[in-house]
Amino acid sequence: MRAVIEGGSVPRGVVRVSGAKNSATRLLSAALLSDAPVELGNFPVSLVDVGHKARFIQDLGGLVVVNDETQTVTVEAGGLGPRILTREQFDVPIRTTYLLAASQLAREGLARVPYPGGCAIGGGPAGGRGYNLHIMVWERLGCTVTEKFDHIEVVAPGGFVGGTIDFPISTVGGTENALLCASVATGTTEIANAYITPEVEDLIELLRRMGADITIYGTSRILVEGHGGVLGGARMSVMPDRIEALTWIVYAILSGGALTIEGVPFSAMEVPLIHLEKAGIDLFRNSTSVHVTPDCLLSGQVQPFELACGTHPGVISDMQALYVLLGLVGAGTSRVYDYRYPERIAFVGELAKLVEGSFLKAEAGKITIGGSARFIPGIVDSTDLRGSMAVVVAALCAPGRSEIHNVHMALRGYDNLEGKLRALGADITIREDTPVEIGA
């Protein structure tokens, strides 16, 4: 799949931030823990990752009903079970497949889970992040885990049994998996060194609405009193996507456009916004929206900056590429460090193809960005989800025709991307599109 972009137009108009990808796909897994309907509003229904997960849920006997007009998804999982599937059906190219174990095992004491896919950020067969911590979660809750040829098999005939899970590192995915499994376990589970992001808080809120008993202590300890089986039905809206919100802000700054961005989750991105302020960007805002124009640049140009990507509430690694873009229009040299995923630098080589001159230098954990660069059209590839969006934005700012190959990477994280950009006046066409149907 590729995007053909005629860049150089100045975007104007209103864009609404969709429900967060990193929350929606997790809430979809949580909805499977009930035999009653679960309705999720503000849902990013066109995301590629959502389509893949919904397809697998339906292969297992669940029902996913999508309403494009109201942006809602209704899940009915009463018929869900660990079915024997083909190797092709187990090929689910997303990272969060492990979250599909709890719903299967809670019903029949057995789960069959596809191996995690998604962005290969580092080395190794699972992109440098692996799934060993998820195996640890299942084993600590009384399961036997077997790695099969095309899937992971998790067995606990009596269901999950509460226990203590002490993560050796902070992990979002591990925390999410532990929450799902512990909610339907028998007994009490303590989760230590949990990583509680805004998206994890969204997951906890839905689980509580479904009847789970979850208590948070401080910033990294969670206690779950297991329900001993499946939970009840609920309704909830997905939180707005903080990474998408930042993307639109950066695009407006780079392009010199005038954008009103609605549905900005300010409380979830306080530190990232502070870094924008320190870079000389004064945003016009109310409680839910920002209006970005060239007047937001106090000195007429982005000021050089240094920042380090790490864990929430700081600048998370998924935001790294957006700050690299911002540095390219700065008044001097900026530096972006990434201590959490130091190998997340492959996108820099592709982004450099859309910049005239040598303004980018990358090494493990550090990207140096020269300012006052000029964007030029070119043909580039996508390396990961956020890196793909970075080259899309650069191509939109470059006068002339560009092609972004494997742009499906960006479509994994940005709902209705082509439609939103076209509504702002951008000339973008996504070709060779083979969407995954959901709710059919």
Side-chain angles (χ1 to χ4, degrees):
M1 189 180 298
R2 61 193 171 99
V4 179
I5 297 171
E6 294 289 344
S9 61
V10 178
R12 300 186 186 280
V14 179
V15 61
R16 171 164 286 277
V17 177
S18 296
K21 173 250 186 188
N22 286 341
S23 176
T25 53
R26 280 67 167 176
L27 298 186
L28 195 57
S29 296
L32 303 177
L33 298 179
S34 173
D35 287 338
V38 176
E39 183 179 299
L40 302 173
N42 193 37
F43 203 93
V45 296
S46 69
L47 286 186
V48 171
D49 277 17
V50 170
H52 287 306
K53 182 168 279 191
R55 184 260 298 171
F56 186 76
I57 290 169
Q58 292 175 151
D59 286 341
L60 295 179
L63 179 64
V64 181
V65 179
V66 177
N67 188 318
D68 293 308
E69 184 176 346
T70 61
Q71 295 284 285
T72 59
V73 167
T74 303
V75 180
E76 297 185 24
L80 194 82
R83 300 186 179 184
I84 297 175
L85 303 177
T86 65
R87 182 181 180 187
E88 182 179 78
Q89 287 174 306
F90 273 120
D91 182 16
V92 183
I94 59 176
R95 181 67 64 175
T96 58
T97 56
Y98 42 78
L99 299 182
L100 297 164
S103 55
Q104 299 176 56
L105 198 140
R107 290 178 171 87
E108 299 190 27
L110 168 68
R112 296 186 176 96
V113 184
Y115 282 100
C119 298
I121 292 172
R129 292 195 288 201
Y131 47 86
N132 58 308
L133 294 179
H134 303 290
I135 292 177
M136 183 191 82
V137 167
W138 295 322
E139 290 179 340
R140 294 287 171 85
L141 298 182
C143 302
T144 299
V145 181
T146 305
E147 296 181 57
K148 303 279 190 174
F149 172 67
D150 54 2
H151 68 279
I152 303 170
E153 188 172 273
V154 188
V155 180
F160 295 110
V161 178
T164 299
I165 301 168
D166 190 354
F167 289 113
I169 60 171
S170 59
T171 162
V172 173
T175 300
E176 293 165 340
N177 193 17
L179 283 165
L180 294 177
C181 296
S183 293
V184 294
T186 301
T188 303
T189 298
E190 179 182 3
I191 308 170
N193 198 24
Y195 186 8
I196 306 173
T197 66
E199 292 80 11
V200 170
E201 291 175 337
D202 224 26
L203 175 61
I204 291 172
E205 174 62 21
L206 177 60
L207 289 171
R208 284 172 171 166
R209 293 188 186 198
M210 295 171 66
D213 185 347
I214 302 171
T215 306
I216 301 172
Y217 297 90
T219 60
S220 62
R221 181 172 175 261
I222 303 173
L223 206 63
V224 184
E225 297 291 342
H227 195 264
V230 295
L231 305 174
R235 290 182 178 180
M236 197 177 100
S237 291
V238 182
M239 66 170 286
D241 195 312
R242 53 183 170 149
I243 304 168
E244 183 189 346
L246 182 63
T247 301
W248 295 121
I249 293 171
V250 171
Y251 176 39
I253 293 168
L254 264 62
S255 63
L259 297 186
T260 298
I261 304 157
E262 298 179 339
V264 179
F266 290 111
S267 62
M269 49 191 304
E270 291 177 352
V271 174
L273 292 174
I274 288 173
H275 281 286
L276 294 186
E277 180 184 346
K278 297 300 182 182
I281 301 167
D282 186 15
L283 297 173
F284 303 108
R285 55 175 282 186
N286 59 21
S287 60
T288 60
S289 305
V290 295
H291 184 60
V292 188
T293 73
D295 291 336
C296 291
L297 290 173
L298 296 178
S299 64
Q301 196 169 2
V302 172
Q303 295 307 302
F305 57 86
E306 289 196 7
L307 62 84
C309 300
T311 57
H312 178 78
V315 176
I316 60 174
S317 185
D318 280 350
M319 296 176 174
Q320 179 203 69
L322 301 172
Y323 284 96
V324 172
L325 277 174
L326 197 63
L328 285 169
V329 298
T333 300
S334 297
R335 294 176 182 85
V336 176
Y337 301 87
D338 193 336
Y339 300 126
R340 189 163 178 83
Y341 297 116
E343 299 300 326
R344 191 176 235 174
I345 56 176
F347 75 94
V348 176
E350 297 302 312
L351 180 59
K353 297 175 184 177
L354 299 176
V355 178
E356 186 177 56
S358 299
F359 285 85
L360 290 165
K361 179 183 178 182
E363 56 189 281
K366 177 183 176 183
I367 302 172
T368 304
I369 312 112
S372 300
R374 189 175 78 88
F375 294 106
I376 57 173
I379 300 175
V380 300
D381 203 355
S382 299
T383 58
D384 64 273
L385 192 160
R386 307 303 170 184
S388 179
M389 192 61 201
V391 294
V392 167
V393 171
L396 289 167
C397 295
R401 183 186 180 94
S402 295
E403 284 193 13
I404 315 298
H405 293 171
N406 294 313
V407 76
H408 66 275
M409 292 280 192
L411 302 184
R412 288 183 48 227
Y414 291 86
D415 186 52
N416 188 28
L417 179 60
E418 183 179 9
K420 287 184 177 182
L421 285 170
R422 284 183 172 275
L424 299 176
D427 186 342
I428 177 172
T429 304
I430 295 177
R431 298 180 177 174
E432 300 176 17
D433 194 357
T434 54
V436 178
E437 293 186 5
I438 59 178

